[in-house]
Amino acid sequence: GAGVSQTPSNKVTEKGKYVELRCDPISGHTALYWYRQSLGQGPEFLIYFQGTGAADDSGLPNDRFFAVRPEGSVSTLKIQRTERGDSAMYLCASSLASADTQYFGPGTRLTVL
Amino acid sequence: SQKIEQNSEALNIQEGKTATLTCNYTNYSPAYLQWYRQDPGRGPVFLLLIRENEKEKRKERLKVTFDTTLKQSLFHITASQPADSATYLCALDVGFQKLVFGTGTRLLVSP
């Protein structure tokens, strides 16, 4: 079956611009996660959705970052006034509600010039 | 402070040998621990999950151990192949579906 998909695969933007990153989870997975990964580091938790609501957004670095999942399926990570330090790989993962295993997408490589 | 440590240096081994990767942690009490494989430019791929009450878990050529007293997990790949070359990440459950990842160890298997 289809795995987690993320679009775009690469995004280059200029400092100060707004970007949206999209995640399509595995069908039927109610839990969705966003992570950020810098070069040479492991993924760093940003936010977790259970259904439509953000169950834990403690990893969002500041109020420039926001994520939504209005219908409990597709999620969008939104970054306002991008900074060069936001450049990283943004990973999305999904899981069944009561399961522990998270299935990751291929990621979106964000570069802020 | 809470830490997860994996060897930052790459592990180089010869094809056919057993690769052993280490994950140490401090100030966590995870209910389970997971290992993932990550290839360059790709998302992590789940390999194995081991729970706090399990000492060892196997899947084909993979074996994971979990010692909650030592706060350590070992990840073994037996009969290693060049295709096993990748970065391997350990991840700890810290409650409420949240995972904390180590920095990963790069494995290079030479023919």
Side-chain angles (χ1 to χ4, degrees):
Chain A
V4 178
S5 63
Q6 291 186 247
T7 53
S9 55
N10 280 286
K11 177 70 177 178
V12 180
T13 191
E14 292 179 343
K15 181 175 178 295
K17 300 288 189 184
Y18 168 83
V19 296
E20 289 189 351
L21 311 179
R22 177 187 167 110
C23 172
D24 276 273
I26 293 171
S27 178
H29 281 193
T30 57
L32 185 145
Y33 313 80
W34 283 99
Y35 292 84
R36 178 168 71 174
Q37 186 174 25
S38 300
L39 206 58
Q41 301 296 314
E44 178 188 17
F45 171 82
L46 294 176
I47 187 169
Y48 153 55
F49 287 90
Q50 184 61 256
T52 60
D56 184 349
D57 65 357
S58 61
L60 295 177
N62 51 59
D63 61 7
R64 295 187 298 105
F65 288 75
F66 189 71
V68 295
R69 196 185 184 200
E71 297 177 358
S73 178
V74 170
S75 176
T76 305
L77 178 65
K78 308 179 182 202
I79 310 174
Q80 298 177 318
R81 304 182 303 280
T82 52
E83 299 177 357
R84 293 197 180 86
D86 299 334
S87 296
M89 175 75 88
Y90 288 82
L91 294 163
C92 175
S94 70
S95 70
L96 290 169
S98 59
D100 308 315
T101 301
Q102 298 183 21
Y103 297 89
F104 281 81
T108 294
R109 169 72 64 190
L110 175 66
T111 303
V112 182
L113 301 176
Chain B
S1 62
Q2 296 174 315
K3 271 196 304 187
I4 302 172
E5 291 183 337
Q6 293 187 255
N7 286 354
S8 57
E9 292 184 12
L11 177 65
N12 287 275
I13 64 166
Q14 204 73 24
E15 182 176 11
K17 301 291 187 186
T18 296
T20 299
L21 285 70
T22 305
C23 177
N24 293 298
Y25 59 93
T26 56
N27 295 326
Y28 286 110
S29 297
Y32 58 85
L33 183 150
Q34 302 186 26
W35 284 88
Y36 287 79
R37 169 186 172 136
Q38 188 172 28
D39 291 284
R42 313 290 288 269
V45 174
F46 171 77
L47 297 175
L48 280 168
L49 180 152
I50 186 164
R51 300 189 184 279
E52 60 179 339
N53 60 348
E54 297 174 315
K55 295 292 184 192
E56 181 181 297
K57 203 134 187 204
R58 291 173 186 260
K59 179 183 174 184
E60 297 171 353
R61 295 184 295 111
L62 309 180
K63 184 178 88 170
V64 172
T65 63
F66 191 12
D67 189 325
T68 54
T69 302
L70 288 179
K71 294 187 180 295
Q72 180 182 77
S73 175
L74 299 178
F75 176 79
H76 307 271
I77 306 175
T78 58
S80 59
Q81 304 165 1
D84 295 327
S85 298
T87 295
Y88 292 85
L89 298 158
C90 75
L92 270 60
D93 150 67
V94 294
F96 305 104
Q97 305 273 100
K98 197 167 172 178
L99 289 179
V100 176
F101 283 82
T103 56
T105 297
R106 190 167 167 225
L107 173 66
L108 297 169
V109 182
S110 305

